Structure formats: structure tokens, C-alpha cells
């Protein structure tokens, strides 16, 4: 399995579409857990790609191509992820990437994994303004609001959302979970979030814990 995961990472980094899709399918056929394929294959490849981007070894179009391919591979995994869930929760989650931020692969992974334990996920997308997020919480009445932010410049939006929820009288009705590469446990505590997760598998554990499951 390790070898196939390495091939998947290489294929994604090199945006080799056919190879990436074929190896994702092969990993599933060989019984690799879809969560492992996502985290140790797809997510790990994007992190490596980010490091190469920082070093100037790859350029924006290559990152865009890999991100698009990430989503295609993720589509292959979603049915397997959904059938692997053992416990069904029935709780609702509203999920968004905050305003000014177009990074949504991590958010999508978190959404896919939350569905595996039966959460009903209302994904309101990326670049979501505070008002839109607050309106979705008022409408959907979720148990959890999940906020993703990938840029150091957009992380403060998470605080703004929490403040706006309080102003709208909705803060006590929903648990707020925050995440994204620059987000830390300390930041989550500072802004009064109810939970922080560094990755999608742990987002599931945190979601279950903060809703008392
Ligand atoms: Co952007 N980008 N990007 N980018 N990008 C980063 C984040 C960056 C670190 C790259 C770098 O310079 N090394 C850097 C940010 C620097 C900073 O803020 N200090 C950066 C930059 C600068 C930019 C632009 C400004 C570049 C430009 O235009 N000059 C621009 C900004 C656009 C905008 O948002 N306004 C930009 C654009 C893009 C693309 C559009 C090309 C593309 C995004 C495509 C897409 O998402 N559909 C992209 C990508 C792909 C990246 C990197 C390479 C990879 C991000 C990713 O998808 N990772 C990234 C480098 C890096 O992160 N190391 C980078 C894989 C994903 C599965 O991981 O999102 O971290 P991640 O999610 C994890 C956890 O964080 C966690 O679980 C996930 C799974 O385990 N998690 C949560 C995430 N959300 C959570 C929510 C939770 C809980 C856990 O609860 C609710």
C-alpha cells in the first residue's frame, strides 16, 4: 500500500490525471481505507506541492491543475467513504471557507469525512461573507458551524464570524469548529471557538466530542 500511496502522491504532484485516477481506484480495490488515501495520499501531496511552490520549483498553473485533479480523485473516494461509516449521528453541520479565501480542498475533505459518521453537511462554499454564514446558521440551525481558513490574512475572519453570531443572538445555539493550515489550538481558544482540528480525521473526532457523542 505504501508504494501505491507514493505513486498517488507523485501522480497528483505531476498532475498526471489518468495515473492518479487509476491508482486511487487500485488502492480502493486493494482495500486501503479511503480516509488513508485522502490523508496520506491526496492531502500529503498537496502539502508537498505547497512546499515546492514556496521554493519556486512549481508555478501557480501546476498548483491549480493538481487541485482540480485532487477533486476528481476525491469524487472516486466519496462512495467508499460513505459506506465505511459505522456510527450515524444525524446532526447538521454548516461548513464554509471564510471570505477572501478560495482554498476549499481541506474544507471539502472535512465535509466528506463528517458525512462518514452521518452528519448532514450543508456546505456553503468558499469565499463566504460573514453575513452569508450567519444567515445559513439561522436557517439550517446546525449543531456545528465549521470554518476553514488557509491564508494568514483570512484567519481573522473566523473571529469576525463568531462575533457576528453573538450579535445575531445565535452564538449559544451552535458549536464553532475552526481549522486550516495556519489555524492553531491557541488561536481557537483566543477567539472562543468550541473546537479546533488540525486535519480531517481529527475534525470528525472533535465534531463528535463537542456535540457530546
Ligand atoms: Co494557495 N496558498 N494561494 N492556492 N495554496 C497556500 C495556503 C500557501 C501556504 C502556499 C505557499 O505559499 N506555500 C500560501 C499562503 C501563505 C500565507 O497565508 N501565509 C498560499 C497563497 C499565498 C495563495 C495565493 C495568495 C497565491 C497567489 O495568488 N499569489 C492565492 C490566494 C487565493 C485566495 O484564496 N484568495 C492562492 C491560490 C491557490 C489555488 C487557487 C491555486 C489553490 C487552491 C485550490 C482550491 O482549494 N480549490 C491553492 C493551493 C492548492 C495551495 C496549497 C499548495 C495547498 C492547499 C491545500 O489544498 N492543501 C497551499 C500550501 C499549503 O497549505 N501547504 C497554499 C491540501 C488540503 C487537504 O489541506 O487545506 O490544509 P488543508 O486542509 C487540511 C487541514 O488544514 C484541515 O484538514 C484538512 C485535511 O486534513 N482543515 C480543517 C482545513 N479546514 C479545516 C476545517 C476544520 C477542521 C480542519 O474545521 C471546520
Amino acid at each position: 500500500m505504501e508504494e501505491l500511496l507514493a505513486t498517488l502522491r507523485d501522480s497528483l504532484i505531476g498532475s498526471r490525471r489518468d495515473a492518479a485516477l487509476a491508482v486511487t481506484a487500485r488502492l480502493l480495490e486493494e482495500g486501503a481505507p479511503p480516509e488513508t488515501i485522502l490523508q496520506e495520499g491526496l492531502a500529503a501531496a498537496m502539502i508537498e506541492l505547497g512546499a515546492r511552490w514556496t521554493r519556486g520549483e512549481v508555478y501557480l498553473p501546476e498548483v491549480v491543475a493538481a487541485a482540480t485533479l485532487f477533486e476528481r480523485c476525491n469524487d472516486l473516494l466519496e462512495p467508499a467513504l460513505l459506506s465505511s461509516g459505522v456510527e450515524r449521528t444525524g446532526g447538521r453541520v454548516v461548513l464554509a471557507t471564510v471570505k477572501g479565501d478560495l482554498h476549499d480542498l481541506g474544507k471539502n475533505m472535512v465535509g466528506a469525512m463528517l458525512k462518514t459518521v452521518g452528519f448532514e453537511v450543508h456546505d456553503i462554499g468558499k469565499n463566504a461573507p460573514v453575513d452569508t454564514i450567519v444567515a445559513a446558521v439561522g436557517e439550517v440551525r446546525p449543531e456545528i458551524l465549521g470554518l476553514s481558513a488557509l491564508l494568514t490574512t483570512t484567519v481573522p475572519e473566523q473571529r469576525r464570524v463568531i462575533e457576528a453570531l453573538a450579535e445575531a443572538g445565535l452564538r449559544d445555539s451552535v458549536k464553532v469548529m475552526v481549522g486550516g493550515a495556519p489555524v492553531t489550538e491557541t488561536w481557537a481558544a483566543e477567539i472562543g471557538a468550541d473546537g479546533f482540528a488540525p486535519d480531517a480525521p481529527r475534525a470528525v473526532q472533535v465534531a463528535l466530542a463537542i456535540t457530546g457523542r
Side-chain angles (χ1 to χ4, degrees):
M1 187 169 89
E2 282 311 317
E3 210 172 298
L4 285 176
L5 284 170
T7 309
L8 176 57
R9 289 192 293 271
D10 286 347
S11 308
L12 193 70
I13 289 169
S15 293
R16 289 187 293 279
R17 188 178 187 278
D18 293 348
L21 292 173
V23 79
T24 302
R26 170 116 183 261
L27 277 159
L28 283 173
E29 276 160 30
E30 297 203 356
E35 295 86 351
T36 305
I37 306 174
L38 259 178
Q39 196 63 36
E40 293 176 25
L42 303 181
M46 293 309 293
I47 289 165
E48 171 56 24
L49 193 65
R52 291 186 194 188
W53 191 17
T54 307
R55 296 197 296 266
E57 294 166 12
V58 295
Y59 296 98
L60 190 61
E62 290 155 273
V63 180
V64 174
T68 308
L69 185 51
F70 179 109
E71 291 289 19
R72 297 293 77 73
C73 295
N74 195 24
D75 291 345
L76 283 184
L77 294 176
E78 186 136 336
L81 271 175
L82 288 177
S83 63
S84 70
V86 281
E87 202 185 323
R88 299 285 151 194
T89 63
R92 281 193 294 273
V93 178
V94 165
L95 208 53
T97 299
V98 296
K99 185 165 187 279
D101 202 321
L102 302 175
H103 297 84
D104 63 356
L105 303 186
K107 164 184 71 61
N108 296 348
M109 259 179 81
V110 169
M113 300 278 262
L114 288 175
K115 285 184 200 163
T116 67
V117 290
F119 279 106
E120 184 185 307
V121 176
H122 296 252
D123 187 340
I124 58 169
K126 56 194 170 186
N127 192 20
V130 172
D131 290 353
T132 306
I133 297 171
V134 172
V137 169
E139 209 172 291
V140 176
R141 292 281 167 175
E143 282 182 77
I144 300 175
L145 169 64
L147 298 172
S148 185
L150 262 288
L151 297 169
T152 45
T153 50
T154 59
V155 167
E157 281 291 305
Q158 294 179 332
R159 188 203 293 270
R160 285 184 202 115
V161 173
I162 290 177
E163 287 169 354
L165 282 172
E167 280 160 24
L170 290 167
R171 181 64 188 96
D172 294 337
S173 74
V174 66
K175 302 285 185 194
V176 179
M177 174 165 66
V178 292
V183 177
T184 61
E185 187 95 61
T186 309
W187 168 253
E190 187 187 321
I191 63 174
D194 303 289
F196 155 76
D199 57 38
R202 274 173 287 185
V204 172
Q205 291 167 12
V206 170
L208 294 172
I210 62 179
T211 56
R213 292 183 168 92

